[in-house]
Amino acid sequence: MNKISTIRKNLIRSKKILSAMKRRVVIWAVAVVAFCGFSYLIDPFDPVWQSYLDTPLKMVVEDALWILLFSVIISEVSILIDMALNKLLPWKDRTVKRLLIQGFIQIVGSVLIVVIVNAIVECTSDNLPEMDSRKEYTLMGQWVATNIVISLIISGFNTVDYLLQNWKRTAVEAAQHKIRASKHKQAAMAAELQALKLQIDPHFIFNNLSVLSELILEDQQLGYEYSEKFARVYRYLLVNSKKDIIAVEEELKFLDSYIFLIEKRIGEGVIFKIDIQEEYKSMYTLPLSLQLLVENAIKHNQTSKANPLEIHVYTNKEGELVVSNTFLPLINKPDSSGVGLTNVMTRYEILGYAKPIIERTEDKFIVKLPLI
């Protein structure tokens, strides 16, 4: 395993070195082309250009090697200047200041290179051709100008390459950050959804256990039947509460058992009407959505024999599962446990389905659940 890891590291290192060498060769080539091109453009009518046609190949090769050497020196100095400034004064900190300082140092460096090379040539060569001072200064000026242009071109090349690499790195980091943020958001939403699906109103258990204890004392057979329905409802809560969606037909079976518990608990204070068209029973809704809406209606409205609460569960032409109840608000509003309509609305939103529609009139409260 360590061998494979070492080989992989060596391959990556070799690729980086090869990539750096390719980049260096490109920069040297740009410097050579720039040197020759600018030298010609400064004085295209100089007789020296014509004389190259009659110059021996050996001298041409020697001149080419000197040009290559000089171009490499200029390139490497320019690269070193840019690398040092990238550490000491990055572009992102002070762009204008960096541009001015970089240009100034490149120009100064170019002049120094010319002066140093010229001094070395004069000290080491004994057979230099004689020329008047005017011609000498002209050539020196052309050489300095050429050197400055090459340095600035190489510096510009390095700068563009550095900025592109930095932009790519920033883009990759931004994309990775976005992916991480998306994963965190999904994880948070999944956790929130799971918490919502496991919510059970504590009043539901307390109320039904209270009714069960009373029924057992009054009518053991009815108490047994009530306990069976209660067990069926609670089993449904445990088994299906973790699911995202469930068939309408299954939800209706559960609702039937739940209505039995409600009717035994409240008596004639609530009237149910179920009217679900057959074609919609094979479609899907959220588990416990009907139970939560029915419980919500009972919790917030009066339930009396004289003026019973009417709850109507049906499907409409728009393919929606509708829970409608008469609006008989309690005089004293009960404490809300946060389980009910908000739970259903939030789960639809997290799962990415169309949001339920809530309508309120003077005498009715209506919730329309989109079928899936």
Side-chain angles (χ1 to χ4, degrees), residues 66 87 113 167 174 187 197 239 277 280 288 299 322 350 364 372:
W66 277 109
K87 293 179 180 178
I113 289 173
W167 174 77
K197 288 189 290 186
V239 173
Q277 297 179 32
Y280 294 118
L288 313 179
K299 187 188 301 181
V322 184
I350 291 176
K364 287 209 174 176
I372 303 161

Side-chain angles (χ1 to χ4, degrees), residues 106-221:
Q106 291 287 0
I107 291 171
V108 172
S110 302
V111 174
L112 287 174
I113 289 173
V114 172
V115 171
I116 292 169
V117 171
N118 189 60
I120 292 172
V121 171
E122 286 185 353
C123 293
T124 56
S125 300
D126 300 325
N127 56 349
L128 289 173
E130 293 289 334
M131 64 176 67
D132 60 74
S133 58
R134 184 177 178 183
K135 178 69 174 176
E136 187 176 353
Y137 287 130
T138 301
L139 289 175
M140 181 68 73
Q142 290 176 352
W143 193 8
V144 169
T146 302
N147 201 12
I148 289 173
V149 169
I150 294 171
S151 295
L152 293 177
I153 289 173
I154 299 303
S155 180
F157 183 88
N158 289 331
T159 299
V160 170
D161 182 67
Y162 171 79
L163 293 176
L164 282 175
Q165 292 296 331
N166 195 50
W167 174 77
K168 285 181 182 177
R169 185 167 56 253
T170 304
V172 170
E173 288 175 357
Q176 290 175 343
H177 178 73
K178 193 173 181 180
I179 291 170
R180 285 195 297 269
S182 178
K183 287 181 178 179
H184 290 160
K185 186 178 179 181
Q186 287 179 352
M189 290 174 67
E192 184 181 356
L193 178 62
Q194 188 64 21
L196 287 168
K197 288 189 290 186
L198 293 174
Q199 280 183 342
I200 299 175
D201 192 335
H203 293 97
F204 166 75
I205 299 174
F206 176 77
N207 290 334
N208 283 287
L209 288 176
S210 298
V211 173
L212 178 59
S213 61
E214 291 176 6
L215 287 176
I216 290 174
L217 293 174
E218 296 176 4
D219 188 336
Q220 290 186 356
Q221 182 59 35

Side-chain angles (χ1 to χ4, degrees), residues 342-356:
T342 303
N343 180 296
V344 177
M345 297 288 289
T346 307
R347 279 196 287 156
Y348 265 95
E349 183 179 354
I350 291 176
L351 291 170
Y353 300 122
K355 290 184 179 181

